[in-house]
Amino acid sequence: KNFDKHTFSIMAGQEYYFKNIQQSIGSGEGIMQAGLYEVASTTNNWGGSSYRDRYGLLSFFGKLDYNFQNKYYLSASIRNDGSSRFHPDNRWGTFYSAGATWRVSRENFLSDVKWLDNLAVRGSYGTTGNDDIGTYYAYQGYYGAHNMYGMAGFRPISIATPNLKWESNEQFNIAIDFGLFNRINGSIEYYTRNSNGLLYRKALPISAQVGEATSINTNLGDINNSGIEVSLSADAVKNKNFLWNITANFTTLHNEITYLPGGAYSQQNWQAWYRIEEGHSLYSFYSPRNAGVNPDNGNLLFYVRDGNGWKTTENWSDVTQNDFEWAGSALPTAFGSITNSFLYKGLDFSFMWYASMGSKMFDYGYYERTTLRDGVGLVQDLVEGKVWMKPGDDAYFPAWSKADFSVTRRPTDMYLFNNSFLRLRNVTLGYTLPDDMVRKAGISRLRVYFSGDNLLTFSETAKNYTDPETGVNGNNYNGNADNDSGIQGSRRVYMVGLQISF
């Protein structure tokens, strides 16, 4: 609705989402008649299973936008969500936001500044909710069927957590947007995000585990992410036949646990050790220290505390968490990209470099590739000339022991690597045929192209044949130790295509 120089926009809405999954599986082996692929046609190894998952989300929301003379903008919103993941006493969460923008370039005192295309200052504050903790039954304790010595029964799968609540993310940002000389556009922004009541699946000590319930859903504490984002796009060359555009962005990230009501604790995820403690990153490595290889007998050495100093030992059982040290975070401190795009008549070409800096990785793949044991492929050039063979050898890897391969590797900082990397993310080359040529065939546009992704990578982990892009916790077990998905990082992809518009 418009009132003279004032413009209002009001929206109210309701949303309902319901998910119901039912699955039944029957299986068997030994089909004797070709073409009759039915479970009833199998002769042995029969099996059957089924499950059902349900999830519901009910939401009510409203939004108000206002602007005056297209120079001053205000907005506000509110949302109320109810999730079946939480106990009825904690089911609902209310979240809101407010923002303002001032288009400074529309003010009269800048009307004569011809080189300034746009200048705006904006800021916002708001909250959003998160109920995703990886299970549809986050607050409930539930059980699975278990056959124990032929007797039917149940065993725990999940521990009840009726006090579990919505995770609330408070976000604040302030930014400047600008456009110059009809060629340059960009923004500079400061952001901070506080996650209060972080939803987290916390591992339980062995003494507290029962059945399959090895962890507990909890509101872990508060996390802060903050940093600066800069983006810039510029036409370096622009004329009738040729255009060269450069687009770049850069982001800094500081991640810190600001509140941990349950106190600090350590946990292990596929060999890598982490420490959850106030004042540190949520994904901080906390690792025992490797001291090399004993040149006399080829055994691994480890650092353990000796009063105010350190000493070495061959006995892994001597190493306790008191000997662990902070070893960096799996999260990068900065990341960004730069893209160059060229257009000459019908020919287009672009390439993008992406960089990530300041993170660490526990290279589980390297952990396996450098160990001699049954069922695992040893990568020869990673170990050649580095394995202890005889007394006096200054070796990186200990002596092989097929009888007990575990003594030849331990989860120390030996497998922690600097995970900063530079990657050629994409290269694209295309050609669009002239309009007068394709219109004769009834086509409005025809373009052929070649594209390649992740063609070059420069990093310390790449030397181990490891992709530097992995799960958020920096452990590449099966690609991503967060969910053991078996998905490796970024694949090298080549693609040839044809785009036709009629």
Side-chain angles (χ1 to χ4, degrees), residues 278-342:
E278 289 182 11
H280 293 271
S281 166
L282 179 61
Y283 300 101
S284 290
F285 291 108
Y286 192 64
S287 179
R289 298 175 59 202
N290 175 59
V293 175
N294 187 333
D296 297 328
N297 56 21
N299 293 336
L300 279 171
L301 294 172
F302 315 100
Y303 285 110
V304 293
R305 296 189 185 275
D306 183 21
N308 295 325
W310 296 88
K311 66 179 181 180
T312 62
T313 180
E314 294 182 5
N315 297 319
W316 177 245
S317 59
D318 293 342
V319 182
T320 67
Q321 288 193 25
N322 184 54
D323 304 309
F324 290 15
E325 286 200 323
W326 297 101
S329 173
L331 299 179
T333 56
F335 51 90
S337 68
I338 182 168
T339 302
N340 283 267
S341 302
F342 304 89

Side-chain angles (χ1 to χ4, degrees), residues 143 155-159 204-215:
Y143 298 79
R155 66 177 175 181
I157 295 177
S158 177
I159 296 173
L204 291 169
I206 294 177
S207 59
Q209 297 177 12
V210 56
E212 296 180 27
T214 60
S215 58

Side-chain angles (χ1 to χ4, degrees), residues 39-209:
V39 175
S41 300
T42 61
T43 58
N44 55 43
N45 292 338
W46 298 286
S49 66
S50 64
Y51 74 89
R52 182 179 184 182
D53 275 335
R54 290 182 295 174
Y55 167 69
L57 180 70
L58 178 62
S59 306
F60 302 91
F61 52 88
K63 189 171 187 292
L64 169 65
D65 293 308
Y66 165 78
N67 84 73
F68 177 70
Q69 293 185 323
N70 290 322
K71 290 192 294 186
Y72 312 106
Y73 299 81
L74 296 173
S75 65
S77 69
I78 189 168
R79 183 179 180 100
N80 193 230
D81 294 309
S83 171
S84 64
R85 283 188 166 106
F86 304 113
H87 188 276
D89 292 344
N90 299 310
R91 182 146 292 169
W92 291 90
T94 301
F95 311 99
Y96 56 90
S97 69
T101 301
W102 175 27
R103 296 191 66 181
V104 187
S105 54
R106 287 185 173 268
E107 298 290 354
N108 292 332
F109 59 80
L110 290 177
S111 60
D112 295 331
V113 183
K114 304 301 181 184
W115 52 267
L116 183 64
D117 306 317
N118 175 54
L119 180 63
V121 178
R122 55 182 168 85
S124 67
Y125 174 81
T127 62
T128 56
N130 177 35
D131 69 339
D132 187 3
I133 195 171
T135 173
Y136 295 121
Y137 310 101
Y139 79 91
Q140 299 182 39
Y142 55 98
Y143 298 79
H146 182 62
N147 183 333
M148 186 172 183
Y149 305 116
M151 299 293 291
F154 291 100
R155 66 177 175 181
I157 295 177
S158 177
I159 296 173
T161 53
N163 294 324
L164 196 69
K165 299 179 180 180
W166 279 89
E167 174 185 321
S168 176
N169 296 304
E170 300 177 353
Q171 302 173 77
F172 169 77
N173 75 299
I174 186 168
I176 297 175
D177 302 321
F178 57 89
L180 308 172
F181 306 108
N182 198 31
R183 284 201 176 190
I184 301 172
N185 292 283
S187 66
I188 302 173
E189 179 174 334
Y190 169 77
Y191 71 92
T192 180
R193 173 174 173 162
N194 292 306
S195 297
N196 300 319
L198 184 74
L199 290 174
Y200 195 80
R201 197 170 181 86
K202 182 178 179 180
L204 291 169
I206 294 177
S207 59
Q209 297 177 12

Side-chain angles (χ1 to χ4, degrees), residues 6 15 19 27 33 35 74 93 125 127 150 164 184 203 233 241 258 321 332 355 387 402 440 457 474 490 492 494:
H6 307 272
E15 179 182 23
K19 182 179 230 179
S27 63
Q33 183 176 349
L74 296 173
Y125 174 81
T127 62
L164 196 69
I184 301 172
S233 178
N241 295 319
T258 55
Q321 288 193 25
V387 181
K402 188 177 179 181
K440 295 177 182 179
T457 302
S490 303
R492 182 176 297 172
Y494 301 94

Side-chain angles (χ1 to χ4, degrees), residues 469-487:
E469 294 187 81
T470 186
V472 67
N473 64 3
N475 186 326
N476 67 348
Y477 174 81
N478 271 4
N480 187 333
D482 291 330
N483 54 24
D484 190 14
S485 63
I487 299 173

